[in-house]
Amino acid sequence: MKILICNAGSTSLKFKLYDMPEARVLARGHIERVGSRDDAVFKYYAGDYALELTGLDIPDYQSGIRRFLDCLTRGDGAVISDVNEIERVGYKATLSKGHYGVHELTDEVLAGMADWISLAPLHNRVYLDVIRAMCEVIPAARSVGAFETGFHRTIPLERRIFGLPYEWYEQYGVERLGYHGASHGHVADVLNAERARYKAISCHLGGSCSVCAIEDGRSVDTSFGMSLESGLIHANRVGDLDPGMIWFLREQGLSDDEIREGFTKTGGLLGISGVSNDLRYVLDAARGGSERAELAARVFVTGIVHYIGAFYLDLGGLDYLVFTAGIGENSAEIRRRVCEKLAPIGVALDEDANARTRGEGVISAPGSAVTVRVIPADEELSIARRAYELK
Ligand code: ADP
């Protein structure tokens, strides 16, 4: 069965076409700067075939999707002869009111996504547009949403519920939902294949960041709360915040739009450093002597360590500490800075292995009480498996 997986960002689209159940990747594509009239980037790979174009006019998601489907079906990189060979399209969808895990994207599920737009405004809006555009181009394919919240439904209620009137939980569904389910779920899949019983903490550090406590393959706690504006600081977003600050900022004369902008676009690593939302530039600036950049790096590391410490105690021990996603897989410096703070719980880093590792690897020293690993994020594979299994 051919399954197309679609991972949409606010201005980017990533695709992978799988042949399931073998999980063979037939082709993949990446579009950057969707919405641009002259500066979009399009990349397409199928086996040895590679196409990389820049300076393109890709005004909307539909034209990006059409360009990718054209490559799939025509020319030297074609891997199928007709788009209707694609039986399912799986989306790394964020959340839908009342629907967790993997669901066919019926009108009801799509309405649930629209209902909870305020919890993930950028993400849900983009997905609703992309799903609509894709359905117009491949109407026969079944649309499947793998919601990022699904993996966290196993978190016990005492770690999901907030200190708020209980009726808000019952009436409005106010609770910790958690995100990055496909990524933490993939880490669990890798560990599950090795052993049945274990305690792990998975750190997904990318543009968005979260820490997840995993026991025997199930999520038992995570740093994200209900909305995406929670947990660790992110590239541009605030992370955990004292709600009293919202009223305070209003009193200072800021409008709700300005406050939202600070929480979601001009906050996080960018807000503190004043340099960039990309950690690479923040670390470069810190090495160059920028105090604010160094401060941002310290806030980032401290936040990760706080969650690891709390989850370590809650789990009652730790077998694996896992780093994944763009920063987790590539930044030896952040991994080192986090692990150095974990010496009291017996974490010992192998400095050479850490410096060398990009992608898969064990980076702890042989005597370390906790095995520290880097596991590359493969959210698309995790979604392809779940979309394939959907009855
Ligand atoms: P997203 O959450 O947007 O899918 P990714 O998982 O692709 O993000 O991670 C992207 C982030 O990874 C970039 O913003 C960049 O900060 C970070 N990154 C990638 N390589 C490095 C590196 N070598 N050092 C530090 N940060 C890196």
Side-chain angles (χ1 to χ4, degrees):
M1 182 192 292
K2 310 276 189 309
I3 300 188
L4 179 63
I5 302 302
C6 177
N7 182 347
S10 50
T11 61
S12 71
L13 275 174
K14 289 185 215 164
F15 297 106
K16 263 191 193 174
L17 181 66
Y18 285 90
D19 200 3
M20 298 301 286
E22 297 79 12
R24 204 155 50 90
V25 178
L26 301 176
R28 61 194 170 87
H30 188 176
I31 305 170
E32 287 168 40
R33 302 192 197 103
V34 175
S36 167
R37 285 277 171 190
D38 57 8
D39 197 25
V41 175
F42 178 86
K43 298 178 185 170
Y44 176 86
Y45 309 94
D48 293 336
Y49 179 86
L51 177 70
E52 298 185 354
L53 303 170
T54 54
L56 299 178
D57 173 13
I58 302 189
D60 50 33
Y61 291 108
Q62 196 165 45
S63 43
I65 291 167
R66 282 189 192 282
R67 205 174 255 273
F68 176 73
L69 294 178
D70 255 10
C71 284
L72 280 184
T73 50
R74 278 193 259 162
D76 293 343
V79 289
I80 51 176
S81 48
D82 189 308
V83 289
N84 290 315
E85 287 177 42
I86 300 171
E87 288 184 50
R88 295 182 183 185
V89 183
Y91 298 90
K92 187 169 97 79
T94 308
L95 85 166
S96 167
K97 180 181 179 183
H99 305 95
Y100 311 95
V102 181
H103 291 273
E104 176 134 21
L105 292 173
T106 58
D107 288 346
E108 190 194 338
V109 178
L110 292 171
M113 289 176 73
D115 274 351
W116 271 3
I117 265 183
S118 65
L119 292 171
L122 295 176
H123 299 70
N124 261 19
R125 216 165 259 135
V126 165
Y127 269 109
L128 286 168
D129 285 350
V130 170
I131 293 163
R132 207 170 293 122
M134 188 72 84
C135 285
E136 280 172 23
V137 187
I138 329 180
R142 253 176 109 183
S143 302
V144 181
F147 291 101
E148 289 282 69
T149 48
F151 184 62
H152 302 294
R153 300 310 291 166
T154 46
I155 297 178
L157 188 57
E158 71 268 23
R159 298 184 200 138
R160 259 193 296 132
I161 198 156
F162 294 108
L164 291 169
Y166 191 82
E167 300 72 41
W168 294 6
Y169 162 66
E170 291 181 310
Q171 285 173 18
Y172 310 126
V174 173
E175 61 174 323
R176 181 183 309 284
L177 293 172
Y179 297 92
H180 291 151
S183 175
H184 296 304
H186 175 68
V187 167
D189 284 347
V190 171
L191 299 177
N192 293 345
E194 296 173 15
R195 58 196 271 195
R197 314 225 48 188
Y198 63 88
K199 297 171 195 289
I201 294 177
S202 164
C203 305
H204 175 109
L205 310 176
S208 284
C209 303
S210 71
V211 179
C212 178
I214 300 172
E215 188 160 15
D216 306 337
R218 291 174 304 113
S219 169
V220 291
D221 208 348
T222 191
S223 56
F224 266 126
M226 185 173 190
S227 82
L228 290 170
E229 274 59 73
S230 56
L232 301 174
I233 63 163
H234 311 273
N236 300 61
R237 301 200 315 276
V238 57
D240 284 337
L241 179 92
D242 160 3
M245 285 164 57
I246 296 173
W247 304 303
F248 174 80
L249 289 168
R250 279 188 187 141
E251 278 170 17
Q252 307 313 303
L254 269 67
S255 68
D256 280 3
D257 282 347
E258 286 168 322
I259 296 173
R260 187 171 291 120
E261 173 105 359
F263 288 2
T264 60
K265 293 194 178 134
T266 54
L269 286 173
L270 171 66
I272 298 175
S273 70
V275 172
S276 173
N277 63 355
D278 188 322
L279 186 75
R280 280 169 288 203
Y281 298 122
V282 174
L283 293 177
D284 282 348
R287 281 182 218 111
S290 160
E291 286 180 17
R292 274 178 59 184
E294 176 56 25
L295 180 63
R298 283 183 194 209
V299 172
F300 187 63
V301 169
T302 305
I304 299 165
V305 171
H306 279 191
Y307 274 105
I308 293 174
F311 291 169
Y312 171 82
L313 289 179
D314 237 355
L315 284 167
L318 191 61
D319 300 303
Y320 300 110
L321 174 66
V322 178
F323 290 97
T324 189
I327 297 169
E329 289 163 36
N330 296 299
S331 179
E333 177 171 349
I334 291 297
R335 295 191 303 241
R336 177 180 53 74
R337 288 170 76 155
V338 169
C339 288
E340 275 172 4
K341 299 240 182 200
L342 301 177
I345 63 167
V347 170
L349 198 65
D350 177 334
E351 296 274 356
D352 290 340
N354 182 45
R356 268 197 319 270
T357 301
R358 296 263 184 289
E360 185 84 45
V362 171
I363 58 170
S364 47
S368 178
V370 177
T371 303
V372 185
R373 298 173 60 158
V374 179
I375 297 180
D378 200 341
E379 294 162 303
E380 287 86 4
L381 176 61
S382 167
I383 295 167
R385 286 203 176 116
R386 287 163 173 89
Y388 174 74
E389 283 160 10
L390 186 73
K391 292 285 172 262

